[in-house]
Amino acid sequence: MSEVVPFQEEVEAADAVLTGAVEYTRHFMDEVRRGKIVDCREALPLVDQLIASATRNQSAVISLAKLKVHDEYTFHHSINVAMFSIIFGRSLGLPLEAQRVLGLAGIYHDVGKARIPEDILKKPEQLNDEEYSLIKRHAVEGYRVMRDSAVLHRDVLLAIMQHHERHDGQGYPRGLAGQAISPLARIISLVDVYDALTSNRCYRKASTPTTALGHIYHQQGAHFFPTYVERFIKCIGVFPPGSLVRLTDGSIAVVRSVNPDYSLLPTVSVYLDQRLRRCQPRIIDLAQAQADGLNLGILGCVDPRPLRIDPALLLR
């Protein structure tokens, strides 16, 4: 079991892990486009590294994954889904081997998109019915691509096929509902939507984490397995690590870690003062600050684009 390490120390280690995992994803997607069979054994060390990083400091790896600016959505999305699924699985009490299977499912869940024309995947306008039907084929295509990989766990194949199924039966490709959806697919489907909403897409800007969680919360019990949404929010926090937030004194901070007892009062690092000027970073445990009589809290999440800052650089 990995030993818990300080946030700043793990940021650097997590950066190397995530970068390597993204490069692997780019490689195997290119292989699939050329019609080659994926050797899933190559992904196992990467999954173990993701698990180890999340164990050493979960907040650091979440922060880095969501703050780094990415141009190639599909590759980074696959790794983010793997990482968030592992973390959520850990919070649900899944054993190590199940976490490894979850990590593989996350990495490969969108592999079928390698069989979809890129002009459709990257179309900035709304898809027409024919294009959307083609996009929806990626779940089945992914299953077909990966079933030839003999070492792949059956639960990974089910998660690939079912990650767009919905609890109320309104998903695809088979319209499965409730218990008919595999346990891992229930986790992947929720995480998939969260990461998609909080990522920049060719047709839509990223939502803030709180906006995304609010959207998902209103779909609990319908699109997502009952209790999973609330347990996911408890796992990553109302203001997840990496969230850029405005404090009640007007300063701007990045959430470093979640306080499990006070979900609205995480530990933050203040980087911009009330006049939005760079200041010496200050780490504040908001729950402790309030216990000490300091009336300081979070007003809400902030979109970094108008501030013209790269939040990932604030972690360095």
Side-chain angles (χ1 to χ4, degrees):
M1 184 67 69
S2 299
E3 183 178 349
V4 175
V5 303
F7 179 95
Q8 208 65 38
E9 180 180 332
E10 187 55 32
V11 163
E12 295 186 11
D15 194 8
V17 171
L18 293 172
T19 299
V22 167
E23 285 304 313
Y24 168 72
T25 304
R26 182 183 290 107
H27 168 72
F28 83 71
M29 291 290 274
D30 287 342
E31 294 282 277
V32 172
R33 289 190 185 97
R34 293 200 294 265
K36 296 187 177 181
I37 295 176
V38 177
D39 185 351
C40 304
R41 289 170 296 190
E42 296 179 3
L44 287 172
L46 295 173
V47 169
D48 286 340
Q49 289 170 24
L50 288 172
I51 292 172
S53 182
T55 304
R56 289 192 299 265
N57 195 308
Q58 173 176 310
S59 296
V61 71
I62 290 178
S63 297
L64 191 65
K66 294 312 300 178
L67 285 181
K68 291 189 75 173
V69 178
H70 308 310
D71 294 325
E72 297 172 301
Y73 167 76
T74 298
F75 307 140
H76 295 274
H77 173 65
S78 295
I79 300 307
N80 284 355
V81 169
M83 182 270 297
F84 274 105
S85 296
I86 288 168
I87 288 171
F88 187 31
R90 289 178 65 229
S91 76
L92 295 174
L94 297 186
L96 179 60
E97 188 54 37
Q99 294 174 38
R100 297 180 86 204
V101 175
L102 258 179
L104 288 174
I107 287 175
Y108 294 123
H109 80 286
D110 268 348
V111 64
K113 288 186 176 178
R115 297 281 178 86
I116 307 299
E118 285 202 29
D119 60 332
I120 294 179
L121 292 175
K122 297 181 178 180
K123 183 178 178 181
E125 300 88 16
Q126 183 174 352
L127 300 176
N128 59 40
D129 291 343
E130 182 179 354
E131 291 167 334
Y132 184 54
S133 294
L134 192 58
I135 284 282
K136 289 167 65 175
R137 283 174 45 188
H138 81 272
V140 174
E141 289 294 328
Y143 175 86
R144 289 172 177 167
V145 166
M146 301 307 296
R147 68 184 174 187
D148 293 329
S149 182
V151 298
L152 198 60
H153 197 289
R154 178 177 178 273
D155 287 344
V156 177
L157 293 175
L158 288 177
I160 291 170
M161 171 77 87
Q162 298 176 2
H163 72 277
H164 281 288
E165 301 287 1
R166 295 294 179 255
H167 186 70
D168 59 5
Q170 297 302 305
Y172 64 86
R174 296 176 58 195
L176 300 179
Q179 298 292 337
I181 303 171
S182 77
L184 296 194
R186 298 171 200 165
I187 293 173
I188 296 291
S189 66
L190 193 162
V191 170
D192 175 55
V193 171
Y194 173 75
D195 188 69
L197 289 174
T198 54
S199 300
N200 285 318
R201 309 290 296 276
C202 56
Y203 53 85
R204 175 182 47 75
K205 296 295 185 182
S207 297
T208 64
T210 50
T211 299
L213 290 173
H215 174 81
I216 291 171
Y217 184 81
H218 290 299
Q219 295 179 332
Q220 65 175 331
H223 285 187
F224 305 112
F225 195 71
T227 76
Y228 269 26
V229 172
E230 290 183 351
R231 295 172 81 173
F232 181 66
I233 294 173
K234 184 176 181 179
C235 171
I236 67 169
V238 175
F239 300 103
S243 300
L244 195 67
V245 295
R246 187 183 301 276
L247 303 185
T248 50
D249 66 356
S251 60
I252 301 296
V254 172
V255 175
R256 288 175 67 97
S257 61
V258 174
N259 187 331
D261 296 320
Y262 301 95
S263 60
L264 297 178
L265 298 171
T267 295
V268 302
S269 290
V270 178
Y271 290 99
L272 302 180
D273 65 17
Q274 292 90 337
R275 296 184 181 180
L276 304 183
R277 300 172 302 189
R278 285 294 296 266
C279 60
Q280 186 68 27
R282 292 181 294 125
I283 299 175
I284 302 175
D285 180 337
L286 293 177
Q288 186 61 52
Q290 292 212 358
D292 293 341
L294 183 62
N295 187 22
L296 189 63
I298 294 177
L299 289 174
C301 281
V302 176
D303 184 346
R305 290 184 295 266
L307 298 176
R308 297 188 177 184
I309 59 174
D310 179 357
L313 296 179
L314 301 181
L315 297 178
R316 301 300 181 184

